[in-house]
C-alpha cells in the first residue's frame, strides 16, 4: 500500500508540474505585454474575410508586441486599392501586399522596401486554381465560353491576374467570351459565391481551397478545373513613411518568428496557417511581372 501511495503521489506531483507549466505558458501568451512608444501599424489586404483574418492573426500580433516592446496594431483594409493608397500616401508605414499588388505598388514607389515574405505550412508560395462546382458539366477551360466567372479583386494575383492569363492561353477571351463577371472581394467569399451559384467558375489560391472548410465553406462540393500558376505568398513592405529604425525592428522580429518555437503551435490560424517568415526573393516575381506586362499589352494599357 505504501508503494502504491508513493506512485500516486509521484504521478500527482508530475501532473501538477505539467499543469503549472501549461498555465504558465498560457499566462505568458495571453497577458498584456509591457509596451511603450508609438504603435507599429501594419495594414493587411482583405485576402480572407476581415473578421477571420483579424482573429487568426491575433497570436502573431501579441507575439510581435512582446518581441518589439512596442504597441502593434493590425488593420485589414476595405480593398486592395485602399491598402495600396494608404501605403503610398503615408497613411500606413507598413503593409502586407499580395504579389500582384506588390508589383503594382513597387512600380509607383521604387523606394518601397520588402521586409519579409510569409510562409504557410513552411512553404513560400502556392498554386492558383480555377474551381467549378462539383456538379458542373464543364470539363475544360475551352468550355467556359458563355459562362459566368467570379474574381476577388482586380489587384489579386490568383483571383484576377492568373485566371485571366490562363483563360487567354487556352483560347478564351475573358472580356468577350465570358458572359458575366462578379467580384467577391475576398477569397472565402468567392468560394461561397461559387457554391451558391453566383458564377460557374472562380479563381483562388490552393491554400484557401484546402483550408476554407475550417471557415464553414463547403469546398468538398467544388473541384479543380485547372492550375493557373505558382505565386509567392504575401510580402511585408515598408512604405515611404516608415522610419529606418522601425523598418529594422519589424524586419528582424518577423524573420525571428517561427510558430512552433515562438508560440508552441504548428501554424497561426486554421485558415491562415501562417508558420513564419523568410527574407524576400525578388526573383520570385519575375514570371508574374511578365504575365502582368502581357495582360497590359493585350488590354492596350
Amino acid at each position: 500500500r505504501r508503494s502504491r501511495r508513493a506512485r500516486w503521489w509521484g504521478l500527482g506531483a508530475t501532473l501538477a508540474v505539467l499543469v503549472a507549466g501549461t498555465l504558465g505558458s498560457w499566462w505568458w501568451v495571453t497577458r498584456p505585454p509591457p509596451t511603450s512608444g508609438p504603435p507599429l501599424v501594419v495594414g493587411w489586404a482583405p485576402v480572407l474575410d476581415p473578421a477571420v483574418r483579424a482573429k487568426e492573426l491575433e497570436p502573431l500580433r501579441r507575439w510581435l508586441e512582446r518581441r518589439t516592446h512596442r504597441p502593434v496594431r493590425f488593420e485589414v483594409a476595405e480593398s486592395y486599392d485602399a491598402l495600396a493608397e494608404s501605403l503610398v500616401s503615408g497613411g500606413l508605414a507598413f503593409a502586407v501586399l499580395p504579389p500582384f499588388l506588390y508589383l503594382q505598388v513597387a512600380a509607383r514607389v521604387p523606394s518601397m522596401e520588402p521586409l519579409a515574405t510569409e510562409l504557410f505550412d513552411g512553404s513560400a508560395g502556392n498554386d492558383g486554381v480555377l474551381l467549378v462546382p462539383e456538379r458542373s458539366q464543364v470539363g475544360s477551360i475551352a468550355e467556359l465560353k458563355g459562362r459566368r466567372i467570379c474574381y476577388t479583386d482586380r489587384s489579386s494575383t490568383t483571383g484576377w491576374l492568373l485566371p485571366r492569363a490562363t483563360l487567354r492561353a487556352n483560347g478564351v477571351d475573358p472580356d468577350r467570351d465570358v458572359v458575366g463577371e462578379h467580384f467577391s472581394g475576398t477569397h472565402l467569399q468567392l468560394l461561397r459565391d461559387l457554391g451558391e451559384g453566383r458564377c460557374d467558375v472562380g479563381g483562388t489560391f490552393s491554400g484557401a481551397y484546402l483550408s476554407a472548410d475550417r471557415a464553414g465553406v463547403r469546398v468538398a462540393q467544388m473541384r479543380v478545373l485547372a492550375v493557373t500558376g505558382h505565386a509567392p505568398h504575401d510580402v511585408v513592405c515598408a512604405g515611404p513613411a516608415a522610419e529606418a529604425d522601425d523598418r529594422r525592428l519589424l524586419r528582424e522580429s518577423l524573420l525571428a518568428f517561427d510558430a512552433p518555437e515562438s508560440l508552441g503551435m504548428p501554424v497561426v490560424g486554421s485558415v491562415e496557417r501562417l508558420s513564419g517568415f523568410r527574407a524576400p526573393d525578388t526573383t520570385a516575381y519575375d514570371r508574374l511581372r511578365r504575365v502582368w506586362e502581357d495582360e497590359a499589352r493585350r488590354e492596350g494599357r
Side-chain angles (χ1 to χ4, degrees), residues 273-294:
R273 303 195 63 78
L274 177 66
S275 58
F277 296 86
R278 63 178 253 182
D281 175 13
T282 56
T283 63
Y285 299 89
D286 291 347
R287 177 181 176 272
L288 286 181
R289 187 177 289 105
R290 291 193 296 269
V291 173
W292 179 30
E293 291 170 351
D294 184 60

Side-chain angles (χ1 to χ4, degrees), residues 25-49:
S25 299
W26 175 85
W27 176 80
W28 188 91
V29 170
T30 58
R31 70 185 177 92
T35 58
S36 62
L40 295 169
V41 183
V42 183
W44 298 73
V47 174
L48 303 178
D49 298 358

Side-chain angles (χ1 to χ4, degrees), residues 130-135 148-150 182 184 188-204 221-223:
L130 282 177
L131 300 177
V132 295
E134 193 270 339
R135 64 185 180 277
R148 299 164 298 165
I149 189 168
C150 274
H182 173 78
S184 302
L188 288 181
Q189 187 57 47
L190 180 142
L191 293 169
R192 295 189 192 101
D193 290 342
L194 184 62
E196 293 169 4
R198 291 188 176 90
C199 46
D200 303 304
V201 62
T204 186
Q221 297 182 4
M222 305 171 196
R223 59 183 173 86

Side-chain angles (χ1 to χ4, degrees), residues 86-102:
S86 293
L87 188 67
V88 171
S89 66
L92 280 173
F94 303 100
V96 185
L97 303 179
F100 181 33
L101 187 61
Y102 163 73

